[in-house]
Each structure stands twice: as C-alpha cells, then as structure tokens.
Amino acid sequence: SVTSNHYEWAAHNGNRAAARFVFVMNYRTGLPDRLVDASMSTSDNDVFHEIIRQTRPGTTWIFDRGYSRLETIKEIINQRGHVITRWNASYKWTLISRRKIRPDDTLQEGWEIICDEIGWVGALDNPGRAKYRRITCRHRETGKLVIVLTDLRKHRAAKLVDMYVCRWPIEVTFRHVKSSLGTVHFPVRSQEGVHNWLILIALSMIFIHLLANSVITGRLQPNQGLMAAHYPFKTYRRQVQTLLENEMFVTGVTSSR
C-alpha cells in the first residue's frame, strides 16, 4: 500500500489516496499466484473476503490474525476450505474439551506444546461463532506464547503450528520486494500504470526465485548464461501463465476477472 495525493483514482485513507495491491502467495512454491488491485477499498478484511470468494473451494488458508474475522473464517469452512491463523485476543472462548498431547508432537528447539483444546469461538450473538481447535505453544526460556486457531482436527498439533510458521517467509519476501524491486515509490501515477508495474515486479520475483534455485541446485552454473536454464524457464513460463490467468481486480465489494 502506497499513499500519495497523486492517486486520485484510489480510495482515500484519511486525507491521502492509497494505491493498495495484494499478492496472494502459494504456500508450496513461495511465489505469487495472484495480484489483486484493492485500491478501491479501504478495508483489508473486505479485500480478503473477496479473494476468498473467487478462490476454488477446498483451499487451505494460512493468514495473520489481522484478517481473522470470524464471519470470514466461517465462510472459508462453508466452502470446504480450512484455516490456520493466530489467535485473536478479542475472541470469546468457551472450552469444550482438551486433547491429549502426543509425546512425538515436538516443535523446533526451545518450543513446546502446552495445550490442545476444542471450544466455541465467538459470542452467542456472533454470526461467525463455531467450534475450533486452539493450540498453545510456549518458549521454554522466555515464556512467550504463540496460540494457533484452526478447524483442522485430524492433523498433529506440531504439524499445524509448523504450517503457520511457514507463512513468515511472506514477510521476508515483501521486505525484499519493497527494498529491492521498487514498490516503495512507483514511477507512474495512473491505475493501469501502477498495476502493470506490479505485474512486472511479480514476474521478477518468480524469475529471481527460479534463477537462484537453478544456481543452488546446479542446473545452471553462474558462468553458463541464461539460455542454459532450460528447466527453470519452462517452470517460469508456467508460473507466469498462472499469474496472468489468476489476475483479479477488486472494486469495493464486487470483483471481476
């Protein structure tokens, strides 16, 4: 999200217009699957809601607690999807049962699972109220707690916590994108120009990832030149095609491909 008085076509956030675009990342590849133009909305939750509505049923969503509105979570589950997110302190919790912690449910060094529970989340008058699983982890030295909320009950607790932790590279990726690929200051002002600029950034992210992976795995030696990267370019082409096919534009509460 970049604010500037030059973006007259974007919704205003306070006194300034905000050019807001969202990358939807793929958990397995760590690459962007979709670029969403959210500049006509000022609510992250509304944008997230629209992305969910236009994603195939059965998708597992891993997201930060800032997006964890209970009505939205319930809609994901109604679409046969699944949710792994952080516990929000504003939730009302009513305990139903405690699950036994398995001896082999181990986390990375220094962390331990101290509680695995099933309960109602949300007040009685909340339309998003439903039963969920709450997993509490604690750092042995610092005492810091991390609480994960999910609807998945058959998976091991440690597996679900590990899956949530896997979203952290998204934060690292965006830090690099902002500092290295030109998303702090756009060289254009029109909505179409900003959108096209971000498409180029997304494609650059894919290319850099695949090229770096090629060097690391030995498929392309640093002195061989780009034309030697036959396999990475095939993968790159498929990923580019997927990104362009999945491109979405979100305007208020309606969306169109």
Side-chain angles (χ1 to χ4, degrees):
S1 179
V2 178
T3 58
S4 171
N5 290 326
H6 299 304
Y7 305 137
E8 298 178 356
W9 42 267
H12 277 65
N13 184 7
N15 295 324
R16 297 170 71 84
R20 302 173 68 253
F21 293 82
V22 179
F23 284 121
V24 181
M25 308 293 286
N26 186 295
Y27 165 79
R28 297 185 183 279
T29 65
L31 297 172
D33 267 356
R34 199 178 317 167
L35 173 62
V36 181
D37 181 349
S39 295
M40 302 309 293
S41 175
T42 59
S43 169
D44 288 338
N45 274 293
D46 287 346
V47 173
F48 184 38
H49 186 263
E50 286 301 312
I51 293 172
I52 291 167
R53 289 180 59 186
Q54 300 215 12
T55 302
R56 70 180 185 275
T59 298
T60 297
W61 294 87
I62 305 172
F63 52 90
D64 192 38
R65 56 188 168 191
Y67 296 92
S68 52
R69 192 163 57 185
L70 289 178
E71 298 95 314
T72 303
I73 293 176
K74 194 169 185 178
E75 181 169 350
I76 292 174
I77 295 170
N78 288 340
Q79 293 181 0
R80 304 191 307 278
H82 300 289
V83 169
I84 305 173
T85 185
R86 282 279 294 277
W87 175 258
N88 192 318
S90 65
Y91 292 152
K92 180 177 176 58
W93 172 258
T94 304
L95 178 65
I96 297 175
S97 64
R98 286 191 171 90
R99 298 164 59 105
K100 184 178 180 180
I101 300 175
R102 295 169 45 169
D104 59 343
D105 249 356
T106 57
L107 300 173
Q108 57 182 306
E109 186 176 354
W111 288 89
E112 61 182 349
I113 298 172
I114 61 173
C115 199
D116 189 353
E117 307 167 306
I118 302 294
W120 287 99
V121 178
L124 292 174
D125 59 348
N126 190 323
R129 187 172 190 262
K131 293 179 183 179
Y132 293 104
R133 183 179 180 185
R134 188 173 73 167
I135 304 167
T136 303
C137 311
R138 180 178 61 195
H139 194 275
R140 294 187 182 93
E141 294 183 2
T142 66
K144 180 180 178 180
L145 298 179
V146 173
I147 305 175
V148 173
L149 180 72
T150 182
D151 66 299
L152 294 165
R153 301 192 187 185
K154 294 182 179 180
H155 294 67
R156 293 189 302 109
K159 173 64 175 176
L160 296 172
V161 173
D162 286 342
M163 288 180 69
Y164 178 78
V165 171
C166 284
R167 70 164 297 279
W168 179 248
I170 293 176
E171 305 292 347
V172 177
T173 297
F174 283 134
R175 183 183 66 189
H176 289 310
V177 168
K178 288 181 177 180
S179 62
S180 305
L181 294 180
T183 59
V184 176
H185 302 289
F186 296 134
V188 290
R189 295 182 181 180
S190 69
Q191 185 173 12
E192 181 180 6
V194 171
H195 175 264
N196 290 338
W197 181 255
L198 286 169
I199 282 287
L200 290 174
I201 288 175
L203 300 184
S204 299
M205 291 167 62
I206 296 170
F207 178 74
I208 291 170
H209 174 89
L210 294 171
L211 184 60
N213 184 63
S214 301
V215 174
I216 292 171
T217 58
R219 296 179 187 272
L220 171 65
Q221 299 300 322
N223 60 350
Q224 280 187 291
L226 297 181
M227 296 308 295
H230 300 298
Y231 172 77
F233 274 114
K234 291 180 181 178
T235 308
Y236 170 62
R237 185 165 58 248
R238 287 196 298 269
Q239 191 71 31
V240 168
Q241 182 178 1
T242 299
L243 177 68
L244 295 177
E245 289 175 351
N246 287 341
E247 180 184 339
M248 289 172 51
F249 300 88
V250 178
T251 306
V253 294
T254 59
S255 302
S256 60
R257 287 287 181 127

